[in-house]
RNA sequence: GGGCGAUUAGCUCAGUUGGUUAGAGCGCUCCCCUCACACGGGAGAGGUCAAAGGUUCGAGUCCUUUAUCGCCCACCA
């Protein structure tokens, strides 16, 4: 058997074998956790996009989640990790459209239904990639409870949520200023606009005054000259002495030759530019608001794909930036361009496709956020939801305080279609009667389709074309995946979830919205069906009770960055493929490396050194275990069977006492273990993954390998049966505890080694075993102190040997002296270990101080140690 | 324009509520392929904790200012 253990840890075969076994045997099914503590631990996976594959950021996130999930499971909590995928509206549609484009097809050519079929087909083909990767990387999810945001159950949850909010007046439809992506041809939310600081140009344009002599102009600055085609006013500050006399007069809009009013509004900054602002209510959020105040006309001059429309007169049909050029050129020719200057300003771009976003007036669906944000704020403030690290809590609260309505409609085809019908006759909006779904071609859609307009009786009803923002369904994830709106057993048992771990980059997109939706929609009140009475019932505002929060704790993990500190990007080729790193170094090493760098609050920059160190650690663990198994032969020769020294019930009774001397190292290693367990528990309870890792590392490498194994080696091959038995029992018990301690971060390696120890019949996985819990007799402050003293003696001896450059192959004589009787006793009792580890031939224990004649003396507060050179010094 | 964070050994980073000689990994120097492991063992060198001031018996840790870098939010044309 020993020969079968390779000298170096080779993770590939082991990891693949266990990943497969864990999945096939459903080891991580919630029902399989020991559930002995009476506690429940539940957590939802932040659903990755179906478009993607696992990147290093996922790996970090999944490692952290998995560590806590495995830890809780081992501690005896009924443990559930719900996995799943997000349909990722824009992202997925974008990918499929791009594929179609290669065939020269546009989605409009196919029509909505056929396009959706194509996306489903694509999803079926490549959507499973992440699942396979997660399984391979050891994520201990309950795959029997996997979900997808567009599956029928979750579709129904989305309809239910929409309808409730709609009936409560929190979802409304209207014509407002939105961020429009001309590339994606859809509205996007404020959060999806990414601002980039750019040096652009600012143009100063002359607007003639109506009825004034030629040559009299007002000069107006703009960074988007093409929008002037839609200008419907100029504005000045009401108290601006320069322009007071012009208020109420008219100006002539150049190029369009339209008379526009000059209005007064305190929004105008007198200091900026000339103090005169062109007002384009259809294409600027401020102008839109100002326009409402002054009843200005709203002229939309742009098409959905970013071209100038008929309202743009001679410029109709031009692409927006081409139009800009033409407008500027024409102004110049007319002598109406006063000047052009460089100007640094923030340009909004589409998070998805990077196109420059156009503020545009458009009819969209919105969700009113203030009433939803208030309970969320209270819940966070009161600590009902704990947010860590603390600075993220501040950021979240600030955002909730300044929240604005959320544009939830998207002009896409891939997503949850809005369950509202429009009457062709009277424009009345008729929502679905309830949230039921029907399955058509295997996929869900709203089932309770209205057939008659309640207002005009018309029967020509058409469903709203828009779908919901992907994040709308994500916002329901922690409860929709547990069966909401039905009051299922899972919902009763596992909701609220215990924790959410996500990157801080989606704090607003997702985490905050889950809190708001969770507080508003979930909780004990729902009855199962939807319908008018439920909505009425729901209108009694729910207090922010603990029952309704989606998770009790929220931890925002760091982001993994490239060496120069920028965000990893697949398109830039700076992304790191975790599967490749796994092939190279092993999953456990990668996991350990990520976890050991996971200090809360700071981003992670990958380094090759760290992962090499992690691989070395895995190898070290492997070899420590290998040492025991290889040496088993020696005691088997004494007629001692593995079962006698390593059976689970034997291990459970450690430490085993020694009749005579030689028991100190054993008392010490279990005392250390007790301390380490406490430290690791504390670290993991507070998301201090790096601290947990470092503690275990130091224990395993420093204490267990460097000292304990070395110290007890002779005992293991002792001819005294009692000594050998006790030593072996202790060392196996300590190894077993160490493996269980290590398991959350290095699941594969520990699983493999655990199975090489005798286990109770039917024991399936270390993951279902218990996390080490110190027995009462492990704690032993005296053992720690005594061992420290002995370690100092050994270190002093080695140090001197090294400094004197003594021949390492030669043992040397030493003398030892101490004023403390306890230390003297220790040294006497452990003389053998001191000789061996200090490479000493003898250790004479002497009263009184030592002199350095014929050697060298090292002293500290407790003792003097003298090395006698003898002929070992000849080497120098 | 607001807000947040960072600046600690050559490199990558720890250092929770202020308290004895500031830690780790990698790298470096010296020695050792000793019967688990060279992905190893042993012993070392290396830091005015960005700068200046302040609070304190005592500060890497708290306060102020400055410098450099990074991130987030934001409707100044």
């Amino acid at each position: 058997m020993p020969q079968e253990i390779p000298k170096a840890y080779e993770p590939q075969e082991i990891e693949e074998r266990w990943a497969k076994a864990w999945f096939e045997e459903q080891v991580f099914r919630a029902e399989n956790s020991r559930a002995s503590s009476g506690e429940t631990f539940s957590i939802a996976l932040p659903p990755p996009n179906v478009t993607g594959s696992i990147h290093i950021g996922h790996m970090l996130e999944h490692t952290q989640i998995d560590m806590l999930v495995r830890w809780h499971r081992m501690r005896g909590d009924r443990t559930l990790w719900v996995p799943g995928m997000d349909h990722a509206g824009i992202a997925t549609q974008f990918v499929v459209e791009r594929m179609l484009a290669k065939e020269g097809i546009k989605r409009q050519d196919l029509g909505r239904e056929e396009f959706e079929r194509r996306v489903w087909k694509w999803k079926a083909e490549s959507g499973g990639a992440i699942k396979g990767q997660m399984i391979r990387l050891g994520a201990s999810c309950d795959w029997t409870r996997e979900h997808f945001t567009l599956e029928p159950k979750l579709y129904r949850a989305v309809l239910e949520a929409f309808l409730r909010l709609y009936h409560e007046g929190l979802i409304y439809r209207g014509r407002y200023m939105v961020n429009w992506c001309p590339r994606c041809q859809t509205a996007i939310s404020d959060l999806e606009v990414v601002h980039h600081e750019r040096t652009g140009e600012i143009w100063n344009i002359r607007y003639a005054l109506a009825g004034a002599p030629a040559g009299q102009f007002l000069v107006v600055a703009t960074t988007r000259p093409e929008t002037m085609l839609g200008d419907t006013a100029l504005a000045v500050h009401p108290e601006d002495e320069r322009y007071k006399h012009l208020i109420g007069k008219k100006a002539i809009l150049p190029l369009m030759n339209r008379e526009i009013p000059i209005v007064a509004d305190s929004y105008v900054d007198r200091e900026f530019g000339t103090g005169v602002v062109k007002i384009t209510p259809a294409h600027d959020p401020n102008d839109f608001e100002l326009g409402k105040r002054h009843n200005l006309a709203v002229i939309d001059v742009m098409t959905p794909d970013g071209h100038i429309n008929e309202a743009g007169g001679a410029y109709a049909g031009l692409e927006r930036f081409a139009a800009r050029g033409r407008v500027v050129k024409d102004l110049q020719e007319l002598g109406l361009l006063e000047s052009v200057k460089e100007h640094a300003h923030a340009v909004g771009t589409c998070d998805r496709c990077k196109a420059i976003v156009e503020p545009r007036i458009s009819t969209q669906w919105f969700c009113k956020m203030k009433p939803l944000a208030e309970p969320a704020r209270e819940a966070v403030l009161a600590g009902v939801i704990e947010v860590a690290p603390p600075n993220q809590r501040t950021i979240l609260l600030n955002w909730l305080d300044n929240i604005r309505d959320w544009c939830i409609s998207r002009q896409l085809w891939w997503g949850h279609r809005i369950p509202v019908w429009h009457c062709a006759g009277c424009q009345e909006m008729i929502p679905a009667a309830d949230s039921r779904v029907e399955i058509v071609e295997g996929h869900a859609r709203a089932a309770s389709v209205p057939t008659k307009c309640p207002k005009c009786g018309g029967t020509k009803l058409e469903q709203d074309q828009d779908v919901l923002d992907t994040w709308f369904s994500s916002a329901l994830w922690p409860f929709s995946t547990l069966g909401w709106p039905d009051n299922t057993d899972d919902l009763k048992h596992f909701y609220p979830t215990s924790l959410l771990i996500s990157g801080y980059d989606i704090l607003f997109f997702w985490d905050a919205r889950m809190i708001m939706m969770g507080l508003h929609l979930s909780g004990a009140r729902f009855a199962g069906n939807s319908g008018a009475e439920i909505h009425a019932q729901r209108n009694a505002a729910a207090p922010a009770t603990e029952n309704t929060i989606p998770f009790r704790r929220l931890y925002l993990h760091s982001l993994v960055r490239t060496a120069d500190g920028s965000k990893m990007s697949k398109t830039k080729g700076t992304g790191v493929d975790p599967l490749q790193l796994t092939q190279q170094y092993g999953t456990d090493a990668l996991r350990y490396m990520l976890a050991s760098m996971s200090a809360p609050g700071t981003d992670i920059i990958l380094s090759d050194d760290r992962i090499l160190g992690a691989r070395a650690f895995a190898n070290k663990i492997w070899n420590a275990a290998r040492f025991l198994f290889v040496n088993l032969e020696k005691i088997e020769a004494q007629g001692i069977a593995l079962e006698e020294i390593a059976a689970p019930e034997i291990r459970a009774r450690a430490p085993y006492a020694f009749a005579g001397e030689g028991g100190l190292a054993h008392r010490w290693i279990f005392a250390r273990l007790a301390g380490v367990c406490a430290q690791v528990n504390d670290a993991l309870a507070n998301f201090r993954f790096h601290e947990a890792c470092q503690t275990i590392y130091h224990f395993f490498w420093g204490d267990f390998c460097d000292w304990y194994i070395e110290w007890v080696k002779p005992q293991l091959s002792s001819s005294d049966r009692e000594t050998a038995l006790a030593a072996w029992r202790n060392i196996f018990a300590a190894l077993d505890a160490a493996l269980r301690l290590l398991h959350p971060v290095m699941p594969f390696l520990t699983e493999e080694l655990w199975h090489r120890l005798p286990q109770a019949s039917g024991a399936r996985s270390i993951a279902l075993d218990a996390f080490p819990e110190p027995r009462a007799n492990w704690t032993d402050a005296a053992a720690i102190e005594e061992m420290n003293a002995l370690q100092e003696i050994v270190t002093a001896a080695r140090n001197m040997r090294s400094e004197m450059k003594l021949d390492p192959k030669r043992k040397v004589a030493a003398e030892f002296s101490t004023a403390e009787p306890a230390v003297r006793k220790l040294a006497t009792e452990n003389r053998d270990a001191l000789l061996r580890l200090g490479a000493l031939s003898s250790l004479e224990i002497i009263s009184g101080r030592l002199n350095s004649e014929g050697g060298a003396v090292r002293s500290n507060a407790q003792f003097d140690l003298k090395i006698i050179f003898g002929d070992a010094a000849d080497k120098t």
Side-chain angles (χ1 to χ4, degrees), chain A residues 27-212:
Chain A
V27 169
F28 308 125
R29 207 170 162 223
E31 285 74 6
N32 287 333
S33 45
R34 295 199 329 286
S36 55
S37 69
E39 304 276 318
T40 294
F41 183 79
S42 58
I43 188 165
L45 172 75
N49 291 350
V50 281
T51 49
S53 56
I54 293 280
H55 60 70
I56 196 78
H58 289 118
M59 186 75 193
L60 173 75
E61 181 169 280
H62 299 170
T63 297
Q64 293 185 354
I65 296 174
D66 197 47
M67 276 177 79
L68 296 183
V69 166
R70 286 178 186 268
W71 177 58
H72 277 281
R73 190 185 288 115
M74 291 180 81
R75 292 192 359 144
D77 297 350
R78 175 153 63 164
T79 301
L80 170 63
W81 181 6
V82 178
M85 301 288 152
D86 195 299
H87 69 283
I90 296 188
T92 306
Q93 177 157 335
F94 191 58
V95 170
V96 175
E97 281 183 329
R98 207 166 44 191
M99 282 170 35
L100 289 175
K102 282 182 192 156
E103 305 169 40
I105 305 173
K106 280 194 204 156
R107 74 171 205 260
Q108 289 80 357
D109 303 337
L110 296 175
R112 186 164 189 152
E113 285 186 13
E114 178 54 26
F115 179 76
E116 280 184 80
R117 263 194 287 275
R118 296 284 185 109
V119 184
W120 276 110
K121 186 164 166 267
W122 179 83
K123 187 256 172 191
E125 285 162 7
S126 52
I130 286 189
K131 179 177 178 180
Q133 291 172 328
M134 285 187 69
I135 292 168
R136 175 63 184 78
L137 297 175
S140 65
C141 307
D142 183 345
W143 293 105
T144 66
R145 286 173 165 90
E146 186 188 354
H147 291 283
F148 178 54
T149 49
L150 269 181
E151 75 184 30
K153 280 182 183 170
L154 269 59
Y155 210 117
R156 174 166 172 241
V158 167
L159 296 185
E160 178 74 19
F162 181 94
L163 292 171
R164 287 192 194 181
L165 293 165
Y166 179 82
H167 287 290
E168 290 173 86
L170 291 174
I171 284 180
Y172 62 95
R173 187 171 186 256
R175 220 170 131 69
Y176 295 95
M177 182 64 56
V178 294
N179 306 294
W180 183 266
C181 174
R183 212 295 318 163
C184 302
Q185 295 197 41
T186 177
I188 56 178
S189 69
D190 295 336
L191 287 177
E192 287 161 286
V193 179
V194 182
H195 288 95
H196 291 289
E197 195 71 26
R198 280 190 200 169
T199 312
E201 289 165 306
I202 188 163
W203 288 269
N204 288 307
I205 302 167
R206 295 171 175 158
Y207 284 50
L209 283 167

Side-chain angles (χ1 to χ4, degrees), chain A residues 105-366:
Chain A
I105 305 173
K106 280 194 204 156
R107 74 171 205 260
Q108 289 80 357
D109 303 337
L110 296 175
R112 186 164 189 152
E113 285 186 13
E114 178 54 26
F115 179 76
E116 280 184 80
R117 263 194 287 275
R118 296 284 185 109
V119 184
W120 276 110
K121 186 164 166 267
W122 179 83
K123 187 256 172 191
E125 285 162 7
S126 52
I130 286 189
K131 179 177 178 180
Q133 291 172 328
M134 285 187 69
I135 292 168
R136 175 63 184 78
L137 297 175
S140 65
C141 307
D142 183 345
W143 293 105
T144 66
R145 286 173 165 90
E146 186 188 354
H147 291 283
F148 178 54
T149 49
L150 269 181
E151 75 184 30
K153 280 182 183 170
L154 269 59
Y155 210 117
R156 174 166 172 241
V158 167
L159 296 185
E160 178 74 19
F162 181 94
L163 292 171
R164 287 192 194 181
L165 293 165
Y166 179 82
H167 287 290
E168 290 173 86
L170 291 174
I171 284 180
Y172 62 95
R173 187 171 186 256
R175 220 170 131 69
Y176 295 95
M177 182 64 56
V178 294
N179 306 294
W180 183 266
C181 174
R183 212 295 318 163
C184 302
Q185 295 197 41
T186 177
I188 56 178
S189 69
D190 295 336
L191 287 177
E192 287 161 286
V193 179
V194 182
H195 288 95
H196 291 289
E197 195 71 26
R198 280 190 200 169
T199 312
E201 289 165 306
I202 188 163
W203 288 269
N204 288 307
I205 302 167
R206 295 171 175 158
Y207 284 50
L209 283 167
Q216 243 187 293
F217 301 105
L218 282 176
V219 178
V220 172
T222 180
T223 53
R224 295 190 297 153
E226 70 282 8
T227 63
M228 70 182 289
L229 304 173
D231 281 2
T232 53
L234 293 183
V236 296
H237 194 277
E239 277 136 46
D240 192 329
E241 294 302 331
R242 294 171 295 177
Y243 305 115
K244 236 175 172 172
H245 62 288
L246 296 175
I247 296 167
K249 299 238 162 54
K250 307 248 174 185
I252 309 286
L253 175 63
L255 307 178
M256 301 301 285
N257 295 319
R258 183 160 75 222
E259 275 198 3
I260 54 174
I262 298 167
V263 301
D265 197 290
S266 54
Y267 152 74
V268 179
D269 180 356
R270 276 170 284 186
E271 309 301 318
F272 190 91
T274 56
V276 186
V277 188
K278 64 188 267 306
I279 302 299
T280 323
H283 294 285
D284 182 278
N286 293 312
D287 294 5
F288 178 69
E289 291 303 320
L290 189 146
K292 276 203 290 196
R293 289 195 290 273
H294 297 273
N295 280 318
L296 298 176
V298 177
I299 303 176
D300 183 350
V301 297
M302 230 170 268
T303 60
D305 64 349
H307 289 63
I308 303 299
N309 66 18
E310 322 77 59
Y315 301 89
L318 284 175
E319 193 276 330
R320 54 183 168 153
F321 296 112
R324 175 177 298 179
R326 271 282 281 285
V327 164
V328 169
K329 185 164 165 273
D330 290 351
L331 287 170
Q332 201 162 16
E333 282 171 8
L334 292 168
L336 295 176
L337 187 64
E338 173 123 338
S339 62
V340 191
K341 286 176 189 148
E342 276 204 349
H343 183 66
H345 62 131
V347 177
T349 60
C350 174
D351 188 25
R352 183 54 47 192
C353 74
K354 315 300 172 203
I356 292 178
V357 164
E358 205 62 46
R360 181 165 181 250
I361 191 90
S362 166
T363 300
Q364 301 288 344
W365 292 86
F366 297 87

Side-chain angles (χ1 to χ4, degrees), chain A residues 440-457:
Chain A
V440 178
E441 288 186 32
H443 308 304
R445 67 182 192 198
S448 300
V449 176
T451 50
K452 195 172 144 193
C453 174
K455 195 171 163 201
C456 73

Side-chain angles (χ1 to χ4, degrees), chain A residues 154-171 367-369 371-373 375-376 406 408 435 468 471-480 483-487 491 495-496 512-531 534-550:
Chain A
L154 269 59
Y155 210 117
R156 174 166 172 241
V158 167
L159 296 185
E160 178 74 19
F162 181 94
L163 292 171
R164 287 192 194 181
L165 293 165
Y166 179 82
H167 287 290
E168 290 173 86
L170 291 174
I171 284 180
C367 185
K368 211 175 271 181
M369 297 310 280
L372 295 172
W406 172 18
I408 54 171
S435 62
L468 290 164
W471 296 102
F472 190 88
S473 56
S474 312
L476 316 176
W477 183 254
F479 43 102
S480 64
W484 185 89
D486 294 325
N487 200 7
L491 197 63
Y495 193 81
R513 285 165 177 168
M514 274 190 287
I515 295 174
M516 292 187 279
M517 289 301 177
L519 283 167
H520 192 75
L521 295 169
S522 72
R525 262 160 255 76
F526 41 76
N529 319 318
S530 75
I534 299 283
H535 302 310
Q537 212 176 310
R538 279 290 317 158
N539 276 332
T545 67
E546 208 187 340
N547 282 336
T548 59
I549 56 174

Side-chain angles (χ1 to χ4, degrees), chain A residues 568-582:
Chain A
M568 296 234 173
S569 152
K570 215 184 280 177
T571 47
K572 282 187 211 151
T574 54
V576 171
D577 178 8
L579 270 301
Q580 193 206 317
L581 290 177
T582 282

